[in-house]
């Protein structure tokens, strides 16, 4: 039985990856931060039938800021594969807390790579790199050889982590790979990320719970895929004999406005009647266009996306519609809701 360790197991990607690895017969360990409340909603279903998965899923308290604990965890667990997904992953928020973003998202990667060396283990290591590294794109579409030009503290931190992974691979012979994943979404996406904010907002407006949806830049274009397919790509990357770096993308680009239009059309509403602009949701520096070429991944991994844009939007809106069913329509509550002060 292979043993995998996932940092960020309670996030969107971590939860889908846990689903996948448990289905493949892995023993799965996840590192979670200690907090006053539980944040395990995305993986709670894995404990519902312990005879199926629970006995092979283990959670451990830890933090990417605690290098001593990371060494201890790796020494005790001796994982065959490490999927490093944990990060401060919200691009807009990274402008508000750049130092924290750098410490967790960038230096945190160095800490876990050093922990691998200190613990004397030889796992296969996956680094969750990001299309945000391309930023002010120098080539369309973007491939594994496109130069990076990050446009946010988050993007800068991910570039650091990317090159740290390459450096440790070349310096110490680690089986360390980067997955440069373009935007990938699902019903498990955090509610402050724009796609989930849209799908949830549409569902609440349709149910009469909200009156408006407040958004920032509608012109930004992204390459959007379906998260469960992308975590399979992560797994395939670590099954290769030699480490390498791969772009995972759909090779399609759509604007935020297109996402909005499709989401409202899915419930037979006119988006123009409900969407309001709020400048607080704009970034100091915008990434205008991202579109990835996953030819290498298809050729070497046998990976390619199947769920396309329209279907993805429908999946997310339908899931949020189901989640708001049964909530009482209160017109006063809808009128009272104002845009959040947090710039996300």
């Amino acid at each position: 039985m292979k043993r995998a360790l996932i940092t960020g197991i309670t996030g969107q990607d971590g939860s889908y990856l846990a689903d996948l690895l448990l289905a493949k017969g892995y023993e799965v360990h996840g590192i979670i931060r200690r907090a006053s409340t539980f944040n395990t909603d995305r993986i709670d279903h894995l404990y519902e039938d312990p005879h199926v998965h629970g006995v092979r899923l283990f959670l451990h308290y830890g933090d990417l800021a605690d290098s001593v604990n990371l060494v201890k965890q790796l020494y005790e667990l001796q994982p065959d594969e490490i999927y490093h997904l944990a990060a401060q992953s919200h691009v807009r928020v990274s402008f508000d807390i750049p130092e924290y973003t750098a410490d967790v998202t960038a230096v945190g990667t160095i800490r876990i790579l050093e922990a691998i060396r200190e613990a004397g283990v030889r796992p296969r290591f996956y680094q969750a790199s990001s299309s945000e590294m391309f930023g002010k794109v120098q080539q369309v579409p973007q491939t594994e050889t496109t130069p990076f030009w990050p446009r946010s503290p988050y993007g800068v931190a991910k570039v650091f982590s990317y090159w740290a992974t390459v450096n440790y691979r070349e310096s110490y012979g680690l089986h360390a790979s980067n997955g440069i994943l373009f935007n990938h979404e699902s019903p498990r996406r955090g509610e402050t990320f724009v796609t989930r904010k849209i799908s949830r907002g549409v569902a609440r407006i349709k149910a009469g719970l909200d009156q408006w949806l407040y958004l920032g830049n509608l012109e930004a274009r992204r390459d959007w895929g379906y998260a469960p397919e992308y975590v399979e790509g992560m797994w395939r990357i670590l099954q290769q004999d030699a480490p390498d770096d791969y772009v995972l993308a759909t090779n399609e680009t759509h604007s935020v406005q297109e996402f909005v239009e499709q989401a409202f059309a899915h419930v037979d509403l006119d988006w123009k009647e409900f969407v309001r602009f709020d400048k607080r949701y704009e970034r100091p520096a915008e990434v205008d266009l991202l579109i990835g070429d996953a030819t290498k991944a298809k050729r070497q991994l046998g990976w390619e996306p199947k769920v396309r844009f329209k279907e993805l939007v429908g999946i997310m809106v339908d899931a949020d519609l189901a989640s708001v069913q049964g909530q009482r329509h209160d017109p006063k509550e809808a009128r009272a809701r104002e845009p959040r002060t947090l710039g996300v």
Side-chain angles (χ1 to χ4, degrees):
M1 183 186 297
K2 283 187 177 181
R3 180 177 296 166
L5 175 64
I6 304 173
T7 70
I9 193 171
T10 59
Q12 170 190 254
D13 291 2
S15 66
Y16 281 122
L17 182 60
D19 287 338
L20 177 73
L21 296 179
L22 288 167
K24 290 183 177 294
Y26 280 66
E27 178 181 295
V28 176
H29 295 258
I31 294 178
I32 62 172
R33 287 178 296 171
R34 176 69 179 90
S36 58
T37 57
F38 288 109
N39 184 30
T40 59
D41 292 352
R42 295 183 179 96
I43 57 174
D44 284 345
H45 65 282
L46 296 174
Y47 289 98
E48 291 178 0
D49 187 350
H51 299 292
V52 177
H53 291 320
V55 295
R56 291 189 283 111
L57 175 62
F58 305 90
L59 301 180
H60 310 268
Y61 286 122
D63 197 297
L64 292 176
D66 187 351
S67 56
V68 173
N69 179 259
L70 289 174
V71 173
K72 178 183 177 183
Q73 297 278 17
L74 296 187
Y75 181 79
E76 292 179 351
L77 296 177
Q78 299 283 313
D80 299 294
E81 298 172 2
I82 296 176
Y83 296 87
H84 180 41
L85 313 183
Q88 191 302 98
S89 59
H90 199 292
V91 178
R92 177 61 188 84
V93 171
S94 75
F95 285 99
D96 300 323
I97 49 172
E99 182 179 344
Y100 175 80
T101 299
D103 185 57
V104 172
T105 306
V107 182
T109 303
I110 284 288
R111 292 190 184 108
I112 196 166
L113 287 167
E114 270 296 290
I116 291 172
R117 293 207 313 122
E118 289 293 325
V121 294
R122 300 294 292 183
R124 297 187 174 193
F125 177 81
Y126 172 85
Q127 165 60 25
S129 290
S130 168
S131 59
E132 287 288 331
M133 300 188 303
F134 296 119
K136 188 177 180 180
V137 297
Q138 303 301 294
Q139 175 185 333
V140 178
Q142 294 87 58
T143 71
E144 292 81 3
T145 60
T146 302
F148 301 137
W149 192 319
R151 298 268 283 171
S152 66
Y154 170 78
V156 171
K158 282 295 187 180
V159 170
F160 180 100
S161 293
Y162 172 93
W163 286 116
T165 301
V166 173
N167 180 255
Y168 273 68
R169 179 170 75 210
E170 296 177 349
S171 300
Y172 305 113
L174 298 185
H175 192 295
S177 300
N178 283 288
I180 307 173
L181 272 57
F182 281 65
N183 294 63
H184 46 287
E185 317 298 321
S186 76
R188 298 185 193 177
R189 188 53 132 162
E191 293 178 1
T192 61
F193 288 81
V194 67
T195 51
R196 184 71 195 290
K197 185 176 179 180
I198 293 167
S199 66
R200 185 171 181 269
V202 167
R204 290 182 61 84
I205 288 170
K206 182 67 174 179
L209 298 171
D210 283 352
Q211 187 176 12
W212 311 111
L213 173 61
Y214 293 91
L215 297 170
N217 180 18
L218 297 182
E219 302 305 315
R221 303 184 68 85
R222 294 293 184 269
D223 183 324
W224 276 304
Y226 187 42
E229 296 180 342
Y230 282 58
V231 300
E232 183 185 352
M234 298 177 188
W235 175 78
R236 291 190 181 210
I237 287 172
L238 289 200
Q239 307 318 302
Q240 304 306 299
D241 292 334
D244 206 344
D245 309 314
Y246 299 88
V247 163
L248 301 186
T250 70
N251 199 29
E252 293 181 14
T253 187
H254 298 272
S255 68
V256 175
Q257 181 171 318
E258 287 179 77
F259 199 106
V260 171
E261 291 172 353
Q262 183 60 45
F264 276 96
H266 191 72
V267 295
D268 299 318
L269 293 176
D270 182 355
W271 70 277
K272 294 179 182 178
E273 297 180 13
F274 303 100
V275 175
R276 297 291 183 268
F277 171 75
D278 191 324
K279 65 180 181 179
R280 289 175 293 181
Y281 300 141
E282 290 194 322
R283 303 177 185 178
E286 183 58 83
V287 174
D288 297 318
L289 168 67
L290 292 174
I291 178 171
D293 182 349
T295 299
K296 180 179 176 181
K298 181 177 181 179
R299 181 179 67 249
Q300 295 184 206
L301 306 177
W303 180 91
E304 60 180 326
K306 298 179 178 62
V307 174
R308 294 295 178 170
F309 179 73
K310 184 176 181 179
E311 183 181 0
L312 170 65
V313 176
I315 289 171
M316 294 182 67
V317 172
D318 286 342
D320 278 319
L321 282 170
S323 72
V324 301
Q325 282 182 351
Q327 296 189 42
R328 186 170 59 89
H329 176 198
D330 185 346
K332 292 181 180 179
E333 190 261 354
R335 285 196 299 269
R337 291 180 64 86
E338 298 292 339
R340 298 177 182 178
T341 57
L342 182 62
V344 297

